[in-house]
C-alpha cells in the first residue's frame, strides 16, 4: 500500500518493463512488452486486488486491458499473422512467504488477443511457478517458468492448438 516500483522482465518469449503503484489493497500497473517470437509489441494497463491474506499466504486477481501490434513474422511461429488488436488479460497471483527474503509464487494468466484489423484471435492460458528473492534495500529478483497451451485462429484458417511455455527473470526496484 502506498508504494510504487519499476521492474524489468527478461525471458522468452517476452521482454518487458513496467510500473506499479499501490493504494491499499489495490495496485495499478502499466507495462510494455516485446514478444521476441512474434515480433509484436503489447502495451497495457491493469489493476490487481488483494483478495485474500492469511499469515504468509496472499491471493490477488488481476485484470488488464491492452493493445497488441503484431508484425505477422513467421520466423519462429508459422501460425503468426499481422494484426492490431485488443488484448484483455485475466490472472491470479498467489504467493507464500517462506522467509522474510524468499517467497514462492504461483501464477495463472489468460491473455487473449482479439484482432481488430482482420478476423482472428489468439489465447494463451499459462500456469506458472517460481520464487521471488528480496535482495536487500529496495531491490528484488524473481524467476518463474510457465506452461500452458496456445489457441490461434488465423484470418483464413481453422483454430490451431499447441503447447505454450514462457520463462521469466524479473528485477524490481521499489521507489518508496
Amino acid at each position: 500500500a502506498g508504494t510504487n516500483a519499476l521492474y524489468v522482465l527478461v525471458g522468452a518469449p517476452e521482454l518487458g518493463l513496467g510500473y506499479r503503484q499501490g493504494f491499499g489493497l489495490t495496485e495499478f500497473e502499466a507495462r510494455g512488452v516485446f514478444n521476441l517470437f512474434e515480433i509484436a509489441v503489447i502495451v497495457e494497463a491493469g489493476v490487481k486486488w488483494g483478495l485474500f491474506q492469511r499469515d504468509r499466504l496472499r491471493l490477488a486477481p488481476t485484470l488488464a486491458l491492452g493493445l497488441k501490434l503484431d508484425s505477422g513474422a513467421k520466423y519462429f511461429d508459422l501460425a503468426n499473422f499481422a494484426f492490431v488488436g485488443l488484448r484483455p488479460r485475466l490472472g491470479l497471483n498467489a504467493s507464500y512467504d517462506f522467509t522474510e527474503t524468499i517467497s514462492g509464487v504461483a501464477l495463472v494468466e489468460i491473455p487473449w488477443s482479439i484482432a481488430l484489423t482482420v478476423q482472428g484471435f489468439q489465447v494463451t492460458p499459462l500456469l506458472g511457478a517460481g520464487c521471488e528473492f528480496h535482495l536487500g534495500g529496495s531491490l528484488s529478483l524473481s524467476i518463474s517458468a510457465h506452461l500452458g497451451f496456445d489457441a490461434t485462429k488465423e484470418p483464413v484458417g481453422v483454430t490451431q492448438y499447441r503447447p505454450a511455455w514462457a520463462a521469466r527473470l524479473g528485477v524490481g526496484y521499489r521507489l518508496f
Side-chain angles (χ1 to χ4, degrees), residues 42-64:
I42 300 159
V43 292
E44 67 180 21
V47 63
K48 185 189 301 181
W49 298 274
L51 179 67
F52 177 82
Q53 182 171 350
R54 179 169 300 170
D55 297 327
R56 300 176 180 194
L57 177 67
R58 291 181 301 279
L59 296 175
T62 302
L63 176 62

Side-chain angles (χ1 to χ4, degrees), residues 97-116:
D97 296 333
F98 294 114
T99 68
E100 288 184 19
T101 57
I102 301 173
S103 298
V105 295
L107 308 135
V108 176
E109 288 185 314
I110 307 171
W112 181 21
S113 298
I114 306 163
L116 299 175

Side-chain angles (χ1 to χ4, degrees), residues 108-130:
V108 176
E109 288 185 314
I110 307 171
W112 181 21
S113 298
I114 306 163
L116 299 175
T117 54
V118 295
Q119 290 185 352
F121 67 86
Q122 180 183 36
V123 62
T124 310
L126 294 171
L127 178 61

Side-chain angles (χ1 to χ4, degrees), residues 19 143 157 160:
Y19 172 79
I143 186 167
Q160 299 179 35

Side-chain angles (χ1 to χ4, degrees), residues 85-173:
L86 286 178
R87 188 170 184 267
R89 180 175 54 91
L90 297 173
L92 179 65
N93 295 353
S95 66
Y96 185 82
D97 296 333
F98 294 114
T99 68
E100 288 184 19
T101 57
I102 301 173
S103 298
V105 295
L107 308 135
V108 176
E109 288 185 314
I110 307 171
W112 181 21
S113 298
I114 306 163
L116 299 175
T117 54
V118 295
Q119 290 185 352
F121 67 86
Q122 180 183 36
V123 62
T124 310
L126 294 171
L127 178 61
C131 288
E132 183 174 7
F133 305 93
H134 179 76
L135 300 176
S138 297
L139 206 56
S140 65
L141 177 73
S142 66
I143 186 167
S144 62
H146 308 258
L147 292 174
F149 73 93
D150 175 73
T152 299
K153 165 72 171 74
E154 295 178 87
V156 290
V158 296
T159 304
Q160 299 179 35
Y161 300 94
R162 57 205 172 151
W165 62 273
R168 295 181 185 143
L169 173 65
V171 178
Y173 182 76

Side-chain angles (χ1 to χ4, degrees), residues 62-79:
T62 302
L63 176 62
L65 182 61
L67 184 66
K68 182 174 181 178
L69 308 166
D70 195 319
S71 70
K74 296 188 181 288
Y75 304 114
F76 296 107
D77 185 356
L78 295 177

